[in-house]
Amino acid sequence: MIRPDPGGGNRGIRNRSWRQRESDPGTAPVFSLRGAGVRFGATWALEGVDLEVGAGERVALVGPSGAGKTTLLSLLNGSRRPTAGRVAVLGRDLATVRPSELRHLQRRVGTVHQQHHLVGPLRVVHNVNAGRLGEWSLLEAVRSLISPTDVAAAEAALARVGIAEKLYERTDTLSGGQQQRVALARVLVQRPVAILGDEPISSLDPARAEEVMQLLAGLAGDAGRALVVSLHAVEHALRHCNRLVGLRQGRLVFDAAAAEVTPVMVEELYRIDQSTDEHGEGAA
Amino acid sequence: MLAFAGSLVHAGLGSQGTLNPAGWPQLRRFLAAAAHPATSPEFIRLTLDATLTTLAYAVLGTAVAVGIGVVGGVAISESWWRRPPSGRPRRTGRAGEVGPWLASRLVVSLPRGVHEAVWGLALVTILGLDPLVGVLAIGVPYGAVTAKVYAELLDETPTGAFEALRTAGVGRLRALTYTLAPLAFPDMLSYAFYRFECAIRGAAILGIIGAGGLGFQLALSFQSLRYDEMWTLIYALMAVCGLADWWSTALRRRSALPPRTIAGLGDVGDSEQRLTGATRSALGRDRRLHASAAVVVALVVVSLWHLGVDVSTLWAPRAQRLASEMAASSFPPDLGVEELARLVVLSLQTLEMSVIAAVVASLAGTAMAFVIAGGVEAEQRAGVLQRVGAGAARGLLLVCRAVPPPVGALLLLFVLLPGPLPGALALAVYNAGILGRLMAEVVENLDPAPARALRSQGASAPQAFCYAILPRTLPRFAAFGLYRWEVAIRETVVVGLVGAGGLGRLLAQQLAAFDYRGATATLAALVVLTVAVDMVSSSVRRALR
Amino acid sequence: MNATDSLDVFEACTTPLRPRTTRAGTSATRPSGRPLRRLPGARMLLVLAALLVVTGACASTDGATHGERASGGDDQVFTIGAIPDQDPERLQRLYGIVADHLGEELGVAVEYEPVTDYAASVSLFRTGDLDMVWFGGLTGVQARLQVDGAEAILQRGIDERFHSIFIANTAAGLQPVDDVAGLSQLAGKRFTFGSESSTSGRLMPQFFLEQAGVSPETDFAGAAGFSGSHDKTIELVAAGTFEAGVVNEQVWTSRTEAGEVDLDKVTAIFRTPPYHDYHWVIRPDVVERFGDDFVTRVKAAFTELDPRDPNDAEILELFGAEEFIETDNDNYAEIEQVARDLGLIAQ
Ligand SMILES: Nc1ncnc2c1ncn2[C@@H]1O[C@H](COP(=O)(O)OP(=O)(O)OP(=O)(O)O)[C@@H](O)[C@H]1O
Ligand SMILES: [Mg+2]
């Protein structure tokens, strides 16, 4: 089993202590995990993960099915609490912040899901505007449902992803690829400091996949945002990200700059383990 | 639509004073008795016996209904009447296929236009004090609805295999049993269980008009204002209703049964949740299904035994004599100008009652459904308050649908002046109990991911609710409300029987005066009204879909 | 898709894919949560089935007898009934004793069958499920109109000159009056009758109210209520739910004498003129089943009740009667006329 190389890569910040970083939100990394673990029933979906992601980094999470990629991402956007260890966003420990501050932090992290998780019966403009909910009051939110507010921003975001003309269509009439773009536009209007993606391209044809990855990398690059994206296609990871994190059976197997990842590391990561057939069956 | 409803609500509420504050102490005493139900051993024994009686009526009624449903459903399905694709020139043309099909549809829409309580009253006059009255009063109208739904299920099933067999010269019935029936079976089973849930409530209402069981005891205890006894009986009803609900939900959710279909409404759950062929084939192996089959057999046997059903009463000379006497005294219906004018006025009142009931029930049911859904969501977020709220809401809904509407109306008569309003509100409360549960099931089955996605990017719970839950549930809720409206119009009769207004009140007066010709006319008006509402509601529902 | 997704995950990691090693290693010491959580469905259903069979067996004794009789096959039982005009418990006690008494006197099996409303007692008399019923004036007429040859045979002494009592909540500001015209003060009040088909709780009171110019359809606050029984009328008027109501005199007297009525809250305001009321009506076919002299023997069983005999005295007392006397169909012609006028008998 490959252990992370303690000396290599862009590991500079790692040497600073947790406490120090937490007290200094200005220079704190966007995400910081310390011994983080998640247990479902008797099994640990994630165990002892240490990870830091700084502004401007483009990190790919790779690993076989069931490795814990989705679970890790859900820790980062605060939708799941770790069973063990700590998770900090922008230097703030999510376990100790007040609910209002948690929402404040969550507003600054945008997530794109493989299944989009859009609301089918709503028009596209509302699904895009849903990215603003964190900054809107309930009243503003309801008013916008009745008559859309800030249409210009929504339209600009849609234009950026190339489907401006779909503004007033019902979302469930759009194709899968177009819906993926709506989800991207939603993240855009949210103006987050970090973008998370959970297999954002696995349902797209190769050309669309390439386009979306470029868009994602571009959106992140625009404003020095951090990008953390789980991918099954290692070649996409190598092409669009500057750092790869390998997960296997809930453990961090490697964490290396894209340039340092070798075919052997990848092969080891996806190796089908004969003795415990637990996670291998869906890897293909 | 809403404005229409609003104006009618206004019409109902606006007529002079309607509140009777002097009755509060009585209602309070009734409510307070909830904390100390009667628990003497004799009364518990009586309650158990009554529970078994109610259950037995529901079980046998459902069995009859499913029997009628299967036979009738096949007979009125389009697939049955469609002739095999063949080279033979058609002699009769399309009319030859559509004619019998249409006629058979009409035959089933009549029995279900009349509430099971009215069936009960009619059957009593023919069969007398016989357990078959309760069984048939449930079985016949439910059988008609079941037949209609089964026919729709059969017609919705892909017919490729069926037609292939028919072309190969296989007989209709054999082709059906080999192709359509196995495919439609899970849905049909699921619907049968939904009918059983309804049958328990129906059996309780029948009890009130004299069939025995929990409703009967409830009426007796109410007559002497023994609130503590009433609560014991209500708790028993809640237990039976709750158990039936739990059973059918458990089967649907955990077994290979599909989400239930309600009277052609489509699924309650997300349509995406429909099960694949693979899970369906697991149906035969499911342990829970086997256990359920065992329970059903046990229930049927115990019910037959407990009620002492003897079908020979059906063709006994007495029944024949009484039936012909009844027929002679019921026809022709009283349809003079004066009677017609009165029927029109009262029909409007009945319509008004049903709209108030449906609208209030939909609003209350929606609110409760979301409270419950909030609790489900809170299970991941440790929101103790929400979970307690959800539990309370579930309990409240169960009480609402366990108290038969005639009893509810009498309770409301403590604090409201006699008239249509207490009846309408009693129906509203009862239907809110049923709708709330159906709606909660929809919300619970809803894919939580979109809402969770919004929450994870910082939206508040109410915001996520407005953007991710409401838009996906409201159309379906509206459909449920409309469906319940049809039911409510039939149910106005049962509250009418205890004096709340509309056609039901007139019917009660006519029955008390043994004016069967008048009663036939009133029933005809009710059927016309029901069919009209049915048509309006199903066309609006189709538009919503 | 996604809602089932999580379920698939759940199913997948519980049963079929659970590695054999884990199970062998840990399940002996630690109950694994999942399989247990999955079971209750099936197990509870089986428990339910068992429970049902047990309750079924327990209740079977009454069930079987009930079923036998209800299926109507047994001609040898003489079934009596009564309009449910009072508390069901009271009726159950009274008619239980009456059934026993008749059984002894007549030498046949006698059973009392309770019903929930007045019209049902008429219907069941018509179908033959009830052989003899204690009817009110109106229901008796209705019953005889539906069963050719049915006969009014007995009434209490008081039923020859029966009265209704209008009662009022003391806070309602209603004054005692002694002529029918005085009932006009009830206009605009919240008022309840007893049962819809009651003679003393509805028919005759409505007749007198209309004589006083008060129409129950329109002149009360809201529509007139129908409490269902005399006891309930007293209770609801005393509680103030209704400001006024009307009950039969015998029930009123018996409840006030027993001290069961709070006279500070509810008071009598008017006693109506007399009319014929309650009576036993018997089906003609009893003669074929129980012998030609059966009706005579039934009459004797009541007319010979002796107030000095403690058992007989109890029956008389529960009926609120001093004696039973014979009656006949003609005594109810007036009631029938009033009922036709008020539309309570069709045509
Ligand atoms: N809600 C849950 N309840 C129980 N177990 C879960 C739950 N969610 C995930 N798991 C388990 O946790 C482990 C990690 O799951 P996760 O979804 O994070 O994997 P993944 O790396 O995203 O896989 P994939 O590439 O297939 O999406 C798996 O074994 C999975 O079965
Ligand atoms: Mg995943």
Side-chain angles (χ1 to χ4, degrees):
Chain A
M1 200 171 257
I2 302 174
R3 288 268 146 230
D5 173 6
N10 46 356
R11 226 43 59 65
I13 22 180
R14 260 224 171 148
N15 301 327
R16 285 199 264 154
S17 84
W18 174 275
R19 204 162 296 282
Q20 218 180 341
R21 265 173 277 126
E22 191 172 34
S23 60
D24 185 7
T27 59
V30 181
F31 298 113
S32 158
L33 271 66
R34 186 83 166 182
V38 174
R39 196 183 57 200
F40 292 113
T43 49
W44 287 89
L46 215 57
E47 206 174 353
V49 173
D50 293 312
L51 182 73
E52 253 151 41
V53 179
E57 276 197 280
R58 298 196 303 276
V59 182
L61 292 178
V62 291
S65 248
K69 303 181 294 290
T70 302
T71 309
L72 178 55
L73 287 170
S74 68
L75 286 181
L76 298 183
N77 67 20
S79 59
R80 197 181 286 291
R81 298 266 166 103
T83 321
R86 300 218 229 162
V87 178
V89 173
L90 297 171
R92 309 286 299 162
D93 184 346
L94 293 186
T96 59
V97 297
R98 281 173 292 114
S100 62
E101 197 183 348
L102 176 65
R103 274 189 61 192
H104 194 82
L105 289 169
Q106 287 183 318
R107 177 197 304 178
R108 309 191 59 187
V109 179
T111 311
V112 184
H113 304 268
Q114 181 190 336
Q115 288 96 355
H116 332 313
H117 298 335
L118 298 172
V119 183
L122 284 183
R123 292 180 195 290
V124 168
V125 58
H126 294 304
N127 266 309
V128 175
N129 270 345
R132 309 284 295 270
L133 289 179
E135 55 185 294
W136 280 352
S137 70
L138 179 60
L139 202 72
E140 281 172 296
V142 172
R143 202 183 56 199
S144 175
L145 264 187
I146 295 160
S147 127
T149 46
D150 225 344
V151 181
E155 197 166 8
L158 283 172
R160 178 83 172 73
V161 296
I163 50 165
E165 75 283 2
K166 302 288 185 192
L167 191 60
Y168 289 112
E169 312 258 305
R170 242 179 87 130
T171 309
D172 49 13
T173 61
L174 267 52
S175 76
Q178 289 168 334
Q179 292 193 21
Q180 188 65 286
R181 281 155 202 267
V182 175
L184 283 176
R186 174 193 282 186
V187 170
L188 264 188
V189 301
Q190 195 185 339
R191 284 173 291 149
V193 297
I195 297 178
L196 306 180
D198 191 2
E199 297 178 26
I201 54 168
S202 59
S203 62
L204 302 180
D205 66 67
R208 299 289 175 312
E210 181 60 26
E211 219 176 69
V212 167
M213 276 315 288
Q214 267 171 12
L215 261 173
L216 265 178
L219 295 180
D222 276 357
R225 294 174 179 130
L227 175 70
V228 182
V229 50
S230 76
L231 291 171
H232 272 303
V234 180
E235 66 277 19
H236 276 298
L238 293 172
R239 200 155 45 235
H240 296 286
C241 298
N242 51 21
R243 183 175 159 199
L244 266 66
V245 171
L247 280 174
R248 183 183 170 85
Q249 293 186 11
R251 294 189 167 273
L252 207 135
V253 179
F254 64 76
D255 180 352
E260 294 169 17
V261 174
T262 64
V264 180
M265 288 162 75
V266 173
E267 199 177 306
E268 264 299 299
L269 184 68
Y270 285 103
R271 173 178 48 93
I272 293 183
D273 198 334
Q274 300 298 342
S275 60
T276 55
D277 191 23
E278 198 170 1
H279 302 292
E281 89 290 337
Chain B
M1 190 70 205
L2 266 178
F4 172 61
S7 69
L8 281 175
V9 171
H10 183 80
L13 287 171
S15 54
Q16 14 162 338
T18 41
L19 274 181
N20 175 14
W24 265 116
Q26 282 287 341
L27 192 61
R28 255 208 310 274
R29 248 192 288 162
F30 168 77
L31 293 175
H36 40 85
T39 50
S40 72
E42 301 147 70
F43 196 75
I44 297 287
R45 213 182 112 71
L46 182 138
T47 306
L48 279 179
D49 188 63
T51 308
L52 202 57
T53 305
T54 298
L55 200 63
Y57 281 126
V59 168
L60 297 181
T62 310
V64 170
V66 171
I68 296 179
V70 169
V71 176
V74 169
I76 64 173
S77 67
E78 262 176 286
S79 327
W80 181 254
W81 293 105
R82 211 179 296 128
R83 52 196 63 238
S86 71
R88 261 185 300 141
R90 288 180 175 186
R91 265 166 303 156
T92 37
R94 259 196 84 66
E97 297 174 22
V98 174
W101 172 74
L102 248 182
S104 51
R105 288 263 148 159
L106 269 179
V107 169
V108 297
S109 67
L110 284 182
R112 74 190 198 98
V114 175
H115 194 272
E116 54 263 31
V118 179
W119 274 100
L121 287 174
L123 286 167
V124 156
T125 61
I126 293 171
L127 298 175
L129 260 190
D130 192 287
L132 272 177
V133 169
V135 174
L136 292 182
I138 293 175
V140 171
Y142 281 23
V145 205
T146 310
K148 182 169 169 267
V149 171
Y150 281 8
E152 273 159 17
L153 286 176
L154 284 176
D155 288 342
E156 275 165 21
T157 311
T159 53
F162 177 69
E163 254 145 38
L165 280 189
R166 291 285 282 143
T167 323
V170 177
R172 263 202 289 215
L173 192 58
R174 254 173 301 160
L176 198 105
T177 32
Y178 271 82
T179 55
L180 297 187
L183 285 171
F185 177 71
D187 290 280
M188 290 164 83
L189 194 59
S190 176
Y191 185 75
F193 270 95
Y194 170 66
R195 270 294 128 204
F196 178 57
E197 281 174 40
C198 301
I200 287 182
R201 295 188 289 263
I205 294 177
L206 279 171
I208 291 178
I209 62 161
L214 287 171
F216 183 67
Q217 298 300 337
L218 200 55
L220 288 183
S221 293
F222 199 5
Q223 241 163 48
S224 35
L225 300 175
R226 307 239 163 157
Y227 300 137
D228 53 340
E229 292 180 2
M230 285 179 73
W231 277 103
T232 309
L233 296 162
I234 289 174
Y235 289 138
L237 259 177
M238 282 172 66
V240 183
C241 283
L243 220 60
D245 294 357
W246 167 83
W247 187 7
S248 81
T249 316
L251 264 186
R252 256 194 325 276
R253 199 167 284 170
R254 298 298 208 76
S255 298
L257 286 186
R260 97 171 118 225
T261 42
I262 293 170
L265 253 191
D267 334 339
V268 173
D270 256 13
S271 53
E272 299 144 8
Q273 277 206 21
R274 289 206 143 235
L275 290 139
T276 58
T279 32
R280 279 182 186 224
S281 69
L283 192 65
R285 293 192 295 273
D286 193 285
R287 256 178 317 164
R288 222 166 273 107
L289 215 58
H290 287 167
S292 295
V295 176
V296 168
V297 171
L299 273 174
V300 170
V301 170
V302 168
S303 302
L304 285 171
W305 180 23
H306 180 70
L307 291 180
V309 172
D310 174 9
V311 280
S312 67
T313 6
L314 279 182
W315 40 86
R318 181 181 83 160
Q320 283 171 13
R321 176 174 53 81
L322 290 171
S324 60
E325 268 178 37
M326 256 307 269
S329 55
S330 308
F331 288 96
D334 245 349
L335 284 172
V337 179
E338 200 183 316
E339 280 85 7
L340 275 179
R342 185 171 58 173
L343 285 179
V344 169
V345 171
L346 290 177
S347 295
L348 284 178
Q349 203 176 50
T350 293
L351 200 64
E352 202 173 288
M353 284 171 71
S354 69
V355 170
I356 294 173
V359 170
V360 174
S362 302
L363 295 179
T366 307
M368 299 288 247
F370 287 133
V371 173
I372 291 176
V376 172
E377 197 210 8
E379 272 167 30
Q380 283 129 22
R381 291 173 173 265
V384 177
L385 211 73
Q386 278 155 301
R387 262 189 276 175
V388 170
R394 271 179 209 283
L396 192 61
L397 287 179
L398 191 52
V399 181
C400 288
R401 63 179 183 272
V403 175
V407 173
L410 288 173
L411 285 171
L412 282 171
L413 275 175
F414 284 154
V415 287
L416 295 172
L417 291 183
L421 192 64
L425 289 183
L427 285 181
V429 169
Y430 177 68
N431 281 300
I434 297 166
L435 274 178
R437 180 178 121 71
L438 289 178
M439 290 168 167
E441 202 170 302
V442 171
V443 183
E444 283 167 17
N445 284 346
L446 212 58
D447 177 6
R452 237 181 252 155
L454 290 184
R455 294 283 279 152
S456 78
Q457 55 165 52
S460 67
Q463 283 176 335
F465 175 79
C466 290
Y467 272 75
I469 309 281
L470 268 190
R472 292 187 300 156
T473 49
L474 276 188
R476 193 165 292 172
F477 283 6
F480 277 172
L482 285 164
Y483 157 67
R484 241 20 240 190
W485 180 33
E486 296 169 34
V487 180
I489 200 136
R490 283 192 275 275
E491 284 171 342
T492 54
V493 178
V494 294
V495 293
L497 290 178
V498 298
L503 289 171
R505 169 101 194 85
L506 177 63
L507 188 68
Q509 284 169 351
Q510 287 164 330
L511 290 178
F514 300 94
D515 174 9
Y516 291 127
R517 288 212 166 85
T520 312
T522 309
L523 281 180
L526 255 171
V527 171
V528 169
L529 203 58
T530 310
V531 171
V533 165
D534 219 77
M535 271 156 49
V536 172
S537 136
S538 51
S539 67
V540 175
R541 276 191 339 225
R542 226 168 293 131
L544 273 176
R545 226 185 281 173
Chain C
M1 198 57 227
N2 220 272
T4 43
D5 237 3
S6 65
L7 195 75
D8 290 344
V9 169
F10 176 75
E11 298 278 343
C13 63
T14 47
T15 37
L17 294 177
R18 179 173 285 270
R20 240 158 279 130
T21 47
T22 338
R23 190 170 280 172
T26 56
S27 63
T29 49
R30 182 175 43 156
S32 45
R34 282 284 155 57
L36 264 185
R37 274 227 332 248
R38 270 173 54 84
L39 257 177
R43 196 173 287 171
M44 256 190 80
L45 281 170
L46 285 175
V47 170
L48 197 73
L51 215 95
L52 267 164
V53 173
V54 170
T55 15
C58 286
S60 71
T61 33
D62 337 340
T65 51
H66 174 77
E68 225 169 83
R69 204 197 34 62
S71 55
D74 198 347
D75 273 359
Q76 294 323 304
V77 179
F78 181 59
T79 313
I80 61 171
I83 49 171
D85 62 336
Q86 304 169 46
D87 277 355
E89 289 79 9
R90 236 180 249 280
L91 296 177
Q92 191 74 45
R93 190 163 136 244
L94 165 59
Y95 291 99
I97 296 171
V98 172
D100 289 347
H101 171 74
L102 283 178
E104 265 169 45
E105 297 286 313
L106 302 173
V108 298
V110 180
E111 262 179 39
Y112 166 65
E113 184 68 49
V115 295
T116 40
D117 74 72
Y118 282 46
S121 64
V122 177
S123 287
L124 294 177
F125 182 75
R126 189 174 72 86
T127 57
D129 285 280
L130 300 178
D131 295 313
M132 182 173 83
V133 180
W134 182 243
F135 282 122
L138 171 60
T139 37
V141 170
Q142 288 176 329
R144 283 189 291 106
L145 285 174
Q146 295 184 37
V147 179
D148 281 339
E151 215 188 326
I153 52 171
L154 288 158
Q155 62 180 178
R156 299 168 300 188
I158 49 170
D159 293 318
E160 265 186 314
R161 297 181 57 77
F162 205 77
H163 306 267
S164 297
I165 303 287
F166 280 83
I167 58 174
N169 188 288
T170 44
L174 292 163
Q175 300 308 316
V177 291
D178 39 35
D179 61 347
V180 171
L183 290 177
S184 59
Q185 62 174 330
L186 289 172
K189 299 292 179 188
R190 299 191 305 273
F191 183 87
T192 184
F193 289 117
S195 161
E196 183 127 44
S197 308
S198 168
T199 306
S200 53
R202 198 266 170 106
L203 178 74
M204 294 314 289
Q206 178 168 349
F207 173 67
F208 295 124
L209 277 168
E210 295 200 346
Q211 279 188 350
V214 180
S215 162
E217 290 289 320
T218 51
D219 294 345
F220 293 124
F226 289 99
S227 73
S229 77
H230 301 295
D231 283 313
K232 216 168 152 195
T233 301
I234 297 176
E235 179 108 17
L236 293 180
V237 173
T241 309
F242 292 96
E243 291 167 295
V246 62
V247 293
N248 98 28
E249 182 176 40
Q250 179 259 323
V251 170
W252 175 252
T253 318
S254 119
R255 303 297 181 268
T256 45
E257 278 172 4
E260 293 168 16
V261 179
D262 185 348
L263 290 169
D264 291 336
K265 289 192 176 146
V266 57
T267 170
I269 56 169
F270 179 63
R271 181 183 198 236
T272 63
Y275 51 88
H276 276 279
D277 201 350
Y278 291 86
H279 53 289
W280 284 110
V281 179
I282 195 163
R283 282 182 63 89
D285 58 8
V286 291
V287 178
E288 293 144 39
R289 285 161 52 205
F290 303 106
D292 290 342
D293 61 342
F294 191 72
V295 174
T296 328
R297 285 164 56 213
V298 171
K299 284 182 184 171
F302 279 100
T303 51
E304 286 167 13
L305 285 170
D306 183 354
R308 282 162 307 192
D309 176 302
N311 285 335
D312 291 5
E314 187 180 12
I315 295 178
L316 288 171
E317 153 107 41
L318 282 168
F319 264 106
E322 268 150 24
E323 53 168 353
F324 274 89
I325 56 176
E326 293 197 17
T327 186
D328 60 59
N329 294 353
D330 297 338
N331 284 338
Y332 307 92
E334 188 197 344
I335 295 270
E336 182 171 345
Q337 195 48 54
V338 173
R340 285 187 192 281
D341 290 347
L342 296 181
L344 286 166
I345 292 176
Q347 282 96 49

